[in-house]
Structures are given as structure tokens and as C-alpha cells.
Amino acid sequence: MVQYASAHLDASFAALSDATRRGVLEQLGRTNASITDLAEKFHMTLTGMKKHVVVLEQAGLVTTEKVGRVRTCRLGLGALKAEAAWMESYRQLWSARFEALDDVIEDLKLKERQVERTE
Amino acid sequence: MVQYASAHLDASFAALSDATRRGVLEQLGRTNASITDLAEKFHMTLTGMKKHVVVLEQAGLVTTEKVGRVRTCRLGLGALKAEAAWMESYRQLWSARFEALDDVIEDLKLKERQVERTE
DNA sequence: TGCATACTGAACCATATGGTTCAGTGTTTA
DNA sequence: TAAACACTGAACCATATGGTTCAGTATGCA
């Protein structure tokens, strides 16, 4: 059965709830970047961006590696996989209810006449 | 292009970052429930559960209707649709990178010999 | 060696979050 | 009409979050 209690889901959804962090994910999807790169791109102090990167890293959405003085950030290998999987499993669980409702709406839209149906 | 800045995504990912709220979504996926029902189920005060429901409602994940003294909560019609869509669009954007990496890993696993490749 | 670069960590701040209690308001029902 | 029920709202509390500044540490380069 689907589990809703998961510290990992807590962490990754929380990580995704901030627009700056979603922006960082998008950026890293284009190309890897240092903390300095990201801080400049998002008009933020180095320290501030570092915190965001830590949050993304703890959520498993990003991995980093420090070489010399530079810490390079890249997209986590399985980024969004667990989260997307959680969502899909729920949408499938709920599909019966959703589809029933979708049908009603579809009928209303297409036929432009009244549909009587109760749950 | 994909947009990462969205108050709606902020709200819904934040709503999903709490295990109790994910539990409420699962519960409402089975059957509608009153605030009292949910409060009992999750061992919480009425007031506490009310707050969670408000958060879910503002994220568009749940809708409620008050009839008499009872407020009935149900799954929002488009629940998780926008969020799943956001994730999928990113996973597609990133797919080239992921697949390239997946291939490397696959090679390593299947062939059990060294693979030389650099980005 | 000496300076600039890139990050790190501690401390601070304002606001948000997840929970509570307590005191209501409006609705049913005996 | 009176009591019980279901919710609502205000106030409070501890902790987390998103940002800052300031003071390091470690690395690279002239």
C-alpha cells in the first residue's frame, strides 16, 4: 500500500516549495554550476545560496563535489523520481473517482446539455 | 518554457511536505470526511486539523463545503495535476542528461567491464 | 610570500509553521 | 428551551525557514 509517512518525501516536497530552489533545479538541468554561479544568478549572497544547495542536497535532488576551492553542483541522478512516483501512485489510486468526475465534465463540455448524475 | 516561479506551486509543494497532510489526502481519496473525522483519525485537536485543511484547500488539493454544522472535505478535482505536470515537464527537459547517465550505469551493470566516457 | 577567490560557519533577525488551549458562534436534537 | 455538537477564531508557544552580516579557512596564482 502507498505510504504517506516518509521523511524523504517531507524533505523533498519542502525543498520544492521554494521558487528559488526550483529555479536552481532548472538551472542545473541546463548545466552544472558552482555556488558562486548560482548566487549571482539568483541575486543572493553566497551564504544564502549555500543554504539552498544544502536543502536540495539533503532532499537528494542535487549532488555536489568540491574540487579545490570550488564546489560544483549537479542535478541528483534520481531527481524527482521518488516524488513523481508518489504522485502517480496516488493519481492511480484516485483514478476511479477522478475519471468519474472527468466524465461528467467532459459530457457537460461536449454535449452542451444537462447531465444528471449523483455519486 | 517551463516556469519555476509560481505561488501556486509554492503553496502546493509546501502543502505536500507534511506527512499528516499527505495522510489526509490519502484518506480523502478513500472517502469524504468531516473535520472531526479527520481530527480523530490523526489524533489531533479539531483546531489543528482545521489548519491543515485550510492549507490543503488554499493549495487547491482539497475542497470543502459546509452544510449545517458539518464541513465536508473532499479531494480537489484537479488534485496533483499541476504538480505532476510540473515534474513531468522537468523530467522531460532533463531526460537527455538522465538517459545519458542511465546508459552509463546500465553498461556498467550489464557488461561488468569498464566504460570510458566523459561529458 | 602575499593577495584574491570560493567557500564555510556562527550569529542574528523577521516571519512562517504546527501544534495547543480557551472562548466563542451557529445547528441539531431531546 | 436547553444541552450537546461541529466548527471557528484569537492567542500563545517552540521550532523552522529564508535571508543577512561578519569572521574565518583553504586554495590558486602572480
Side-chain angles (χ1 to χ4, degrees):
Chain A
M1 190 30 58
V2 177
Q3 61 199 8
Y4 59 82
S6 153
H8 175 249
L9 283 177
D10 278 25
S12 41
F13 283 130
L16 291 172
S17 72
D18 181 273
T20 298
R21 285 192 294 260
R22 289 196 302 277
V24 168
L25 287 182
E26 181 181 11
Q27 189 55 37
L28 295 181
R30 299 180 198 287
T31 177
N32 298 339
S34 67
I35 309 271
T36 298
D37 293 339
L38 294 170
E40 280 173 5
K41 190 109 190 171
F42 292 89
H43 314 100
M44 193 175 295
T45 58
L46 251 189
T47 312
M49 181 52 71
K50 176 75 188 322
K51 284 190 177 183
H52 281 306
V53 168
V54 167
V55 169
L56 288 166
E57 206 173 359
Q58 286 177 342
L61 295 167
V62 156
T63 63
T64 73
E65 186 195 12
K66 190 163 184 179
V67 175
R69 337 174 249 194
V70 179
R71 179 173 297 279
T72 299
C73 309
R74 41 176 57 82
L75 224 45
L77 186 50
L80 298 186
K81 239 169 198 171
E83 298 74 24
W86 179 87
M87 287 197 169
E88 265 322 297
S89 71
Y90 271 89
R91 290 186 57 74
Q92 281 177 18
L93 262 188
W94 296 337
S95 62
R97 305 192 87 196
F98 280 127
E99 279 161 15
L101 283 164
D102 284 352
D103 285 351
V104 174
I105 289 165
E106 205 57 27
D107 282 358
L108 284 168
K109 278 188 186 167
L110 288 180
K111 300 181 185 174
E112 287 196 50
R113 55 180 156 90
Q114 288 158 329
V115 173
E116 279 188 289
R117 181 125 52 123
T118 50
E119 247 193 11
Chain B
M1 193 26 62
V2 177
Q3 61 197 9
Y4 58 83
S6 153
H8 176 249
L9 284 177
D10 278 25
S12 40
F13 283 130
L16 291 172
S17 73
D18 181 273
T20 298
R21 284 192 295 260
R22 289 197 302 277
V24 168
L25 286 182
E26 181 181 11
Q27 189 55 38
L28 295 182
R30 299 181 198 287
T31 176
N32 298 339
S34 67
I35 310 270
T36 298
D37 292 340
L38 294 171
E40 279 173 6
K41 191 109 190 172
F42 292 89
H43 314 100
M44 191 175 295
T45 58
L46 252 188
T47 312
M49 180 51 73
K50 175 74 187 324
K51 284 190 178 183
H52 281 307
V53 168
V54 167
V55 170
L56 288 166
E57 206 174 357
Q58 287 177 342
L61 296 167
V62 156
T63 62
T64 73
E65 185 195 14
K66 192 164 185 180
V67 175
R69 358 174 230 194
V70 179
R71 178 173 297 279
T72 298
C73 308
R74 40 176 58 81
L75 225 46
L77 185 49
L80 298 186
K81 239 170 199 170
E83 298 74 25
W86 179 86
M87 287 196 170
E88 265 323 297
S89 71
Y90 271 89
R91 290 186 57 76
Q92 282 178 17
L93 261 187
W94 297 338
S95 63
R97 305 192 86 197
F98 280 126
E99 279 161 16
L101 282 164
D102 283 352
D103 284 351
V104 175
I105 290 166
E106 206 56 26
D107 282 357
L108 284 169
K109 278 187 185 168
L110 288 180
K111 300 179 186 177
E112 288 195 48
R113 53 181 158 91
Q114 288 158 328
V115 174
E116 280 187 290
R117 182 125 52 124
T118 51
E119 249 193 10

